[in-house]
Amino acid sequence: MGRSRAHVRKAAHAYPMGTLSVYADGYGFVRTSEGEFFIPEKKMNGAFDGDLVEVAPLPKRGKGVSLAAGFAEERRVSRNESPAARVVRVIDRAHETIVGRYEVAEPFGVVVPLDYHMQHDVFTLRKDNPTIPDGALVRVRITSFPTGRSAATGVIEEVLKEGEKQVSVVDALIERHNLETDFSAGALEAAAAAKLDEDDALRTGYRDIRDRVTFTIDPEDACDFDDAVSLERAGGEVARGRVGVGGAKIAWRLGVHIADVAHYVPWDSSIDLDARRRATSVYLVDRVLPMLPEALSNELCSLKPGVARRCMTVDLYLDEAAQVVSVDIYPALMESKSRMSYPQVQALLEAGIERAPQGEPFANIEQRLAALDVLAGMRRQRRHKLGAPEFSQVEAKVKLNDQREPIGVELHEKSRATQLVEEAMLMANEAVAHFLVEHGIPGLFRVHEAPSPMNCASLVPLFEEYPWFSQVNKVLFAEGNSFQIQKVLELSAGRAEEELVHSLTLRAMKQAAYSPSCEGHFGLALDEYLHFTSPIRRYPDLVVHRQLKAFLEKGRLGASPPAQKKAASQEVSQLSWLAEHSSKMERLAEKVSRESHEYLLVEYMQQFVGQRFSATISGITSYGMYVRLENTAEGLVPLHELGEEYFIFDGVRHTLTGEESGTVYYLAKRVVVVLDSANPMTRNMSFKLAKSNADKGKQQL
């Protein structure tokens, strides 16, 4: 007797599973435990960007990259020649609501998503919302997702803005990612009621260090100052009664003073609940979405000069080689003596500051800066000996006018001024991590795993094109050896391919994340590390402050106050979730920050359409090549712009070679291009090769 169709297969087939990433042209990729799959536009099966999906491989078809095959088809081929697949089903939807522009098309009101990753319009009934004007920005809740036979449908939840001119790309970005812009009434009320109360601070055990010369160093446009530093030579009261580990002689006391946010934001308070959801401040191209209300972030917790502030101080006692030999951590009442900026400090260092005579106390802040510069150099050398790779990357910041319109691009690199502060913060973070581990104090640690050998090995064929790579141990580099990674970065320094090598190597690294357990930090070559120095803008830092203060208070009083003990215990029970949530929100904040910058950068570039630029090839694909301008703007030179011939794509060496001319396009090659188009909404720019690849007449930004 034949079996019924329902009993033919007893167990469900296990398909690879992963998150779908959709690109502007409609195709997508899904990274699974079995590798990455390319999803053609017509094989999405109604899935949206960010959805968790199951995929099934499609039958393989012949490869080949030629103009005759048609650019529209070739541009859908994966950059890495990933096997093609189709979406079998959506397991979990990433989006219940979508932000888009409302277009009247009787009898419908069609919502066109502002996010170009979203490839499906959402249809609503015009009769349900007859007063919404054409062009309004709305949020729509999806009631049915698209299928092969039907479109997506939904209901309008909220009209965000009316009129096309009122909608900025950054506003749309904020709405699309559901970022919080307003604080709860309870949080605002609590922040407004918060008081410094110097007498209470001193009465409850805060040390008075207001006479110490402390100062802040921040970007010129900074609004909050949550970290300050101080430096004194050891001697007299500075190191009285303090002996370094193993009897090491103390030469310096470096103080790192961090705003005491935990005093104003106890666990489960209104402010804490708001901050916990946000988990981080979000730095957009034209504004900041703070983690804490401005009454705290810009006032009580901002270490402004000339006013007393509560802080958590880490005093690092260093020997002549800048090794930490003793640490003291305590709450304090401080007063910053000066607010300095990175450009200001850099100018002083470059001009050459007169150093204090050996053994004598510092006469001014300038002499302290000179000494901090020397100590920072020694600390960097120490990390270098431990194998910490140091990446060199140029960061671009779009300059805006008063109307928030892009008017230029500023490029920033690491400087002696930024490194001076960075090294001090790294020392404090490491010292606090060690203190927590040593005393069994729970907290959130910053964990950075070693890179995947597969990621490092994939770079070997590419780097072998450069003669200097022969000096690198390829086997160890492919295994992710930190010293060989370090060597690659150093050997490429000063060469045309430096930026590309650093960028590709950085992409091979794993992302750092938060964890309740201390598992080391590969990038810093440290066994113990956490974030302590920015509780104004990072929730994990706030968690560490609260747990540290609870421990110190217990040690001072013999037992923690019942309320504090209960709160600390509740916080500890949530550490795993807090670590995962903070890591997730950090990645989202970085993504949104990057997208906001890219929007305005492409908008800025619109005025240069038709002009020539010097560029570097930053990516090679089967459908063309990506080029990067000196101001970091990046776009595609489509395959058909390379010439009327067959081009052979080498996915291992990352090259495109003309079969007739023998012309080879490779990573880091310099070319002259013409900007063909710039679309801010999709953040896409298209280029074509200049007819003559000479430098004459090219635009410099």
Side-chain angles (χ1 to χ4, degrees):
M1 190 169 99
R3 292 180 297 173
S4 70
R5 189 182 273 271
H7 293 16
V8 170
R9 189 171 63 197
K10 295 183 179 180
H13 184 77
Y15 292 106
M17 182 174 64
T19 301
L20 174 66
S21 297
V22 179
Y23 286 71
D25 294 314
Y27 61 83
F29 294 95
V30 177
R31 181 167 293 179
T32 75
S33 59
E34 298 182 23
E36 185 180 65
F37 291 90
F38 163 66
I39 312 297
E41 183 178 4
K42 295 181 179 179
K43 301 297 181 180
M44 293 287 184
N45 195 18
F48 280 56
D49 179 73
D51 288 351
L52 182 64
V53 299
E54 283 184 339
V55 298
L58 292 171
K60 292 184 179 180
R61 61 182 183 177
K63 298 180 181 179
V65 181
S66 67
L67 183 60
F71 171 61
E73 176 66 21
E74 290 303 330
R75 70 185 302 174
R76 294 198 294 267
V77 180
S78 163
R79 289 168 293 181
N80 301 311
E81 295 297 301
S82 301
R86 63 181 176 86
V87 174
V88 176
R89 71 183 180 102
V90 177
I91 299 172
D92 186 32
R93 292 285 184 180
H95 307 276
E96 295 180 353
T97 63
I98 287 177
V99 173
R101 195 177 306 282
Y102 186 85
E103 296 183 357
V104 177
E106 295 286 0
F108 302 108
V110 183
V111 181
V112 181
L114 288 183
D115 187 349
Y116 69 84
H117 294 97
M118 304 296 177
Q119 298 291 310
H120 300 277
D121 296 343
V122 181
F123 286 75
T124 69
L125 291 176
R126 177 64 177 164
K127 67 179 182 180
D128 293 340
N129 304 97
T131 60
I132 297 179
D134 190 87
L137 185 69
V138 301
R139 179 181 288 112
V140 59
R141 178 168 293 279
I142 301 174
T143 54
S144 64
F145 286 88
T147 67
R149 298 179 178 178
S150 62
T153 61
V155 293
I156 304 296
E157 278 196 340
E158 183 181 3
V159 177
L160 302 170
K161 289 191 177 181
E162 295 183 1
E164 185 173 353
K165 291 185 179 179
Q166 297 183 38
V167 181
S168 77
V169 290
V170 179
D171 289 329
L173 193 62
I174 291 170
E175 294 294 344
R176 189 168 75 236
H177 291 286
N178 293 319
L179 298 178
E180 295 189 41
T181 57
D182 299 313
F183 289 93
S184 65
L188 292 174
E189 183 179 348
K195 303 295 182 184
L196 173 65
D197 201 338
E198 297 175 43
D199 292 337
D200 176 73
L202 297 175
R203 186 172 58 251
T204 54
Y206 283 66
R207 295 188 201 175
D208 190 350
I209 61 169
R210 286 175 288 183
D211 61 342
R212 197 185 292 192
V213 180
T214 60
F215 48 94
T216 61
I217 308 174
D218 294 279
E220 286 183 298
D221 57 354
C223 296
D224 56 70
F225 319 110
D226 58 353
D227 58 79
V229 295
S230 61
L231 183 69
E232 294 92 20
R233 293 190 190 277
E237 293 297 324
V238 172
R240 186 179 299 279
R242 185 171 294 276
V243 179
V245 177
K249 184 178 179 181
I250 294 173
W252 314 89
R253 180 178 68 183
L254 170 61
V256 177
H257 316 279
I258 309 300
D260 185 13
V261 177
H263 173 75
Y264 304 103
V265 189
W267 171 260
D268 254 0
S269 63
S270 295
I271 304 177
D272 179 56
L273 293 174
D274 280 20
R276 199 185 308 171
R277 286 195 310 275
R278 287 169 165 81
T280 180
S281 295
V282 183
Y283 293 84
L284 302 169
V285 68
D286 64 346
R287 72 197 77 172
V288 177
L289 305 181
M291 186 180 78
L292 301 174
E294 289 189 4
L296 293 183
S297 60
N298 289 8
E299 295 298 333
L300 270 183
C301 294
S302 185
L303 307 182
K304 297 181 177 182
V307 293
R309 288 289 183 258
R310 292 177 185 252
C311 71
M312 286 295 293
T313 287
V314 179
D315 278 338
L316 302 152
Y317 292 86
L318 314 175
D319 63 16
E320 288 288 356
Q323 296 273 46
V324 178
V325 295
S326 183
V327 176
D328 194 10
I329 305 174
Y330 53 90
L333 197 64
M334 62 156 287
E335 180 183 299
S336 173
K337 298 300 185 283
S338 178
R339 186 244 157 157
M340 308 187 78
S341 69
Y342 288 131
Q344 179 185 5
V345 172
Q346 183 65 20
L348 288 170
L349 295 175
E350 289 178 352
I353 304 172
E354 183 180 350
R355 297 181 184 177
Q358 186 68 30
E360 293 186 16
F362 296 115
N364 50 45
I365 289 178
E366 286 76 10
Q367 290 183 348
R368 289 174 166 83
L369 291 174
L372 282 168
D373 183 44
V374 173
L375 292 175
M378 288 192 283
R379 293 297 300 184
R380 289 177 61 204
Q381 289 177 9
R382 175 179 176 271
R383 282 207 319 278
H384 182 272
K385 291 179 181 178
L386 294 173
E390 186 168 355
F391 294 93
S392 174
Q393 280 201 310
V394 176
E395 293 185 3
K397 182 177 181 181
V398 179
K399 295 171 58 179
L400 307 176
N401 60 19
D402 293 339
Q403 289 73 46
R404 295 185 177 181
E405 298 168 336
I407 57 174
V409 180
E410 291 180 341
L411 301 180
H412 298 279
E413 294 184 82
K414 281 187 177 182
S415 66
R416 288 163 65 186
T418 59
Q419 290 170 341
L420 179 155
V421 175
E422 180 182 10
E423 293 301 330
M425 299 304 123
L426 288 176
M427 276 191 276
N429 287 337
E430 183 186 8
V432 173
H434 178 73
F435 188 87
L436 262 61
V437 171
E438 184 180 36
H439 294 88
I441 306 169
L444 291 180
F445 295 88
R446 187 65 167 174
V447 173
H448 186 218
E449 297 180 63
S452 162
M454 181 176 66
N455 289 345
C456 290
S458 68
L459 297 177
V460 172
L462 174 60
F463 290 171
E464 281 181 327
E465 298 297 312
Y466 304 119
W468 51 261
F469 194 63
S470 62
Q471 302 176 51
V472 177
N473 186 316
K474 298 177 181 59
V475 174
L476 292 179
F477 176 81
E479 292 175 353
N481 179 276
S482 63
F483 290 97
Q484 295 305 309
I485 292 173
Q486 187 183 78
K487 196 169 186 178
V488 163
L489 301 178
E490 292 172 354
L491 290 171
S492 63
R495 302 177 186 272
E497 64 270 16
E498 175 184 5
E499 187 175 347
L500 178 72
V501 169
H502 282 237
S503 177
L504 292 175
T505 307
L506 183 60
R507 289 181 202 172
M509 301 294 106
K510 291 188 177 180
Q511 280 189 311
Y514 295 104
S515 171
S517 57
C518 184
E519 299 169 16
H521 196 292
F522 175 85
L524 296 173
L526 296 174
D527 294 328
E528 299 163 333
Y529 192 70
L530 51 67
H531 281 164
F532 166 79
T533 53
S534 291
I536 281 181
R537 62 183 180 89
R538 291 189 304 230
Y539 195 80
D541 302 50
L542 177 56
V543 171
V544 169
H545 275 240
R546 284 196 293 237
Q547 292 297 321
L548 183 60
K549 289 189 72 176
F551 176 83
L552 295 174
E553 188 74 1
K554 179 180 178 181
R556 192 176 70 83
L557 300 177
S560 299
Q564 187 182 41
K565 183 178 180 180
K566 180 180 179 181
S569 177
Q570 289 177 345
E571 190 170 36
V572 170
S573 70
Q574 296 293 315
L575 287 181
S576 293
W577 176 82
L578 289 172
E580 182 179 352
H581 174 67
S582 296
S583 298
K584 174 184 175 183
M585 295 306 292
E586 176 186 64
R587 290 191 290 271
L588 175 61
E590 290 174 350
K591 175 184 177 182
V592 176
S593 176
R594 182 178 63 254
E595 287 184 358
S596 76
H597 168 80
E598 289 173 352
Y599 276 130
L600 272 296
L601 180 57
V602 177
E603 183 179 325
Y604 170 70
M605 291 300 297
Q606 279 184 309
Q607 63 186 299
F608 301 110
V609 169
Q611 296 191 28
R612 296 156 61 97
F613 297 92
S614 174
T616 302
I617 298 177
S618 58
I620 297 288
T621 74
S622 58
Y623 51 84
M625 63 188 189
Y626 286 91
V627 294
R628 180 182 172 97
L629 307 187
E630 293 174 2
N631 70 350
T632 74
E634 193 170 31
L636 177 70
V637 178
L639 188 67
H640 67 265
E641 293 289 354
L642 300 185
E644 298 290 333
E645 64 176 313
Y646 186 93
F647 276 86
I648 301 169
F649 170 60
D650 188 329
V652 176
R653 295 173 58 241
H654 295 264
T655 60
L656 280 169
T657 305
E659 190 174 56
E660 297 175 14
S661 66
T663 301
V664 180
Y665 294 103
Y666 53 88
L667 295 177
K669 182 177 182 177
R670 300 287 295 180
V671 292
V672 177
V673 295
V674 174
L675 179 58
D676 198 36
S677 66
N679 186 339
M681 293 309 297
T682 62
R683 309 199 309 277
N684 283 347
M685 286 186 291
S686 180
F687 293 88
K688 56 186 178 183
L689 289 178
K691 290 184 179 179
S692 170
N693 222 23
D695 288 347
K696 183 179 179 181
K698 68 179 182 292
Q699 176 79 20
Q700 298 291 343
L701 296 175

